Amino acid sequence: MDGSVLQTSVLAAVGVVVFVVIVTVLLHNRLVRARVRVDEAWAQVDTDLQRRHDLIPNVVATVGAYTDHEQAALTAVTSTRTAALTRTDAAGREAAEDELGAALGRLLVVAEAYPELEADAGFRDLQSELADTESRLSFARDFATHRVAAYHQLLETFPSVLVAGAFGFERRRMFATDGHEARRTPEVELGAQVHP
């Protein structure tokens, strides 16, 4: 009888260990999948940011060809683009990208004062591409923010919090903006007529 009790106790202990190992593996894999989804979402944000960065030189060149007196707006866009491309820290990059979006919005407002520029088919195509890019970027940022929030929720709930701590899963920074103006997507009006 003592042997069967001991055997039952050993089997129960082994069963508990196997259960804990299985749960740990499942939770670890779930955390890894959530972290990969966050990385994928931010990769899409980076792709859309790069697309915006690639469009800016064409916008600046086109606006510059029609406007001789708007060097301040052109320089602001060019310098903020350079700053955004060179920042590697998350907080600095967020600020630079927000400043770039604001400068780009101001440049497009300036462009509305030039009917010849507004009539240029190439410029209208650039405006359309830029508007599409800004929409995609806004969606990608929102999507990434939701992915980060889901990942953080997983990191902070029981029992995955135990596995996250044991395996060194860390919180991810959200690419957020501080100001209301910075959160606004630059408004790009297609075919707007400027009336004196």
Side-chain angles (χ1 to χ4, degrees):
M1 186 110 166
D2 288 330
S4 68
V5 170
L6 180 63
Q7 185 180 16
T8 303
S9 297
V10 169
L11 286 175
V14 168
V16 168
V17 169
V18 167
F19 176 76
V20 168
V21 167
I22 290 172
V23 168
T24 301
V25 167
L26 291 173
L27 289 174
H28 179 271
N29 289 345
R30 187 173 177 200
L31 286 162
V32 168
R33 280 191 302 276
R35 186 175 59 194
V36 166
R37 287 183 186 123
V38 168
D39 293 342
E40 289 171 347
W42 284 124
Q44 184 59 52
V45 171
D46 284 338
T47 299
D48 292 335
L49 287 172
Q50 186 59 51
R51 184 172 184 224
R52 177 168 75 173
H53 288 284
D54 292 345
L55 286 171
I56 288 173
N58 293 333
V59 171
V60 169
T62 304
V63 172
Y66 283 92
T67 64
D68 295 330
H69 302 51
E70 306 298 344
Q71 288 306 313
L74 295 170
T75 302
V77 170
T78 303
S79 64
T80 55
R81 176 183 179 265
T82 301
L85 286 171
T86 58
R87 295 305 296 251
T88 56
D89 61 303
R93 184 170 180 205
E94 288 174 21
E97 291 293 347
D98 291 341
E99 191 176 328
L100 175 59
L104 191 55
R106 288 189 299 272
L107 178 65
L108 293 174
V109 168
V110 164
E112 290 177 3
Y114 294 87
E116 312 85 38
L117 177 59
E118 289 290 317
D120 183 278
F123 183 68
R124 284 196 315 270
D125 289 345
L126 284 171
Q127 281 183 310
S128 178
E129 283 186 56
L130 189 58
D132 180 52
T133 299
E134 292 297 333
S135 293
R136 290 171 55 175
L137 181 56
S138 178
F139 175 80
R141 275 182 157 178
D142 287 346
F143 184 72
T145 299
H146 290 295
R147 290 285 186 167
V148 171
Y151 175 66
H152 287 173
Q153 182 180 17
L154 191 57
L155 288 179
E156 296 171 3
T157 56
F158 185 82
S160 57
V161 67
L162 301 174
V163 175
F167 288 98
F169 286 88
E170 296 179 355
R171 292 178 62 86
R172 294 294 177 94
R173 182 174 169 81
M174 290 195 188
F175 198 123
T177 56
D178 292 328
H180 172 70
E181 279 301 308
R183 269 188 239 116
R184 252 184 357 104
T185 302
E187 293 179 17
V188 179
E189 294 183 22
L190 301 175
Q193 295 294 323
V194 178
H195 298 289

